[in-house]
Amino acid sequence: MVADLDTEGWRTETPAPGWTVAHQIAHLAATFKLAALAASDAGRFSAVVSRLTPDFSANVDAALAGYLAEEPPELLRRWREERVAAERALSALPGDHMVPWLVRPLPAAVLACAGMMELFAHGQDVADALGIRRRHDDRIGHLVGFAVRTWDFGYLARKIDVPDVQMRFEITAPSGKVWEFGPADADQRVTGPAVDFCLLATRRRHHADLAVAAEGDVARNWLEIAQAYRGPAGPGRQPGQFAAAIPGSRA
């Protein structure tokens, strides 16, 4: 989506307030650099994390600054370099090997899925900014599984007690296959298509604009706060904000 953009294109504002296309790519580069470090050198990763401040936004700004100082071709090159380094570092580990991370240690395979979540979310911001409609296949299942695993993040990010319930998720893949998670007899249920579910969990669409349904008071409330990351929730997207943008046409 960004390889052929001119300089002005990189300055295009995205739906994330104050963030251009360049900010989105810089964020991905910084995140994947940190993931590569976590997977390859736990000691250095811990040292880097120990220098972070309680100010989340300030930490993000500091991480992006060096990338944003680059011209677009160099920023793109560095992003690709960080991505490859993260892929190599994670793939060198057994999938169940615990890797330190910002909130809590994660199995290497799960941290890889977290990276896919970042790609999906920030890639959607870029797509929305540039008027591109993306097409997804069943590989989105990695993100579906991650969003289900982190269903409590919306509560934790807001410092709300996590309800003592079991959730049932029935998510339909692009191919039509149904992915099932949680007890079949659970009273709290979430159902819907995978792409919509991931747009919800990454807060890139308001649930009113998605074909995701919930049964049970907890599940219905979850639609309001769902997020697959632990940073500040932010304002999210407004109902009808992307009324003309129907997910699903460009790979």
Side-chain angles (χ1 to χ4, degrees):
M1 292 190 293
V2 301
D4 298 325
L5 283 183
D6 58 19
T7 300
E8 199 59 33
W10 281 82
R11 294 174 181 155
T12 303
E13 294 289 333
T14 70
W19 277 34
T20 65
V21 170
H23 284 83
Q24 301 285 352
I25 304 304
H27 175 79
L28 289 173
T31 302
F32 276 61
K33 180 179 181 178
L34 201 58
L37 186 62
S40 61
D41 193 330
R44 284 181 58 207
F45 173 82
S46 296
V48 169
V49 171
S50 70
R51 295 194 292 270
L52 297 178
T53 74
D55 188 330
F56 180 84
S57 295
N59 292 330
V60 171
D61 290 343
L64 268 57
Y67 294 103
L68 292 174
E70 305 286 4
E71 292 297 319
E74 180 62 11
L75 170 55
L76 180 59
R77 185 197 67 78
R78 290 185 64 187
W79 146 237
R80 289 171 169 167
E81 186 177 81
E82 308 294 12
R83 185 191 66 209
V84 169
E87 290 170 353
R88 288 176 176 169
L90 286 167
S91 63
L93 300 173
D96 59 356
H97 180 87
M98 298 303 291
V99 177
W101 195 234
L102 298 171
V103 177
R104 61 193 182 206
L106 296 174
V110 175
L111 183 54
C113 290
M116 296 177 196
M117 181 272 293
E118 293 282 345
L119 280 170
F120 177 91
H122 295 284
Q124 187 63 48
D125 288 336
V126 172
D128 288 335
L130 301 178
I132 294 172
R133 298 179 181 179
R134 299 191 295 174
R135 183 177 66 248
H136 299 279
D137 59 29
D138 281 12
R139 289 177 296 176
I140 201 171
H142 295 293
L143 175 51
V144 170
F146 181 78
V148 168
R149 184 188 185 100
T150 59
W151 77 273
D152 59 340
F153 275 12
Y155 299 95
L156 298 174
R158 294 167 177 79
K159 296 180 170 52
I160 301 172
D161 290 339
V162 179
D164 185 18
V165 300
Q166 291 185 304
M167 295 277 283
R168 171 72 170 180
F169 295 90
E170 297 176 1
I171 309 301
T172 304
S175 67
K177 178 181 179 180
V178 177
W179 294 316
E180 301 176 349
F181 307 87
D185 61 351
D187 293 331
Q188 308 300 321
R189 309 170 71 87
V190 175
T191 60
V195 174
D196 283 25
F197 180 72
C198 292
L199 288 168
L200 171 73
T202 55
R203 296 181 64 76
R204 264 49 189 187
R205 292 292 187 273
H206 191 277
H207 68 84
D209 296 330
L210 300 171
V212 179
E215 298 177 22
D217 291 344
V218 173
R220 283 190 287 270
N221 178 69
W222 183 80
L223 297 185
E224 299 285 347
I225 66 171
Q227 65 179 82
Y229 54 92
R230 277 291 299 276
R237 305 294 179 258
Q238 300 304 308
Q241 184 175 350
F242 300 96
I246 302 171
S249 68
R250 174 170 169 175

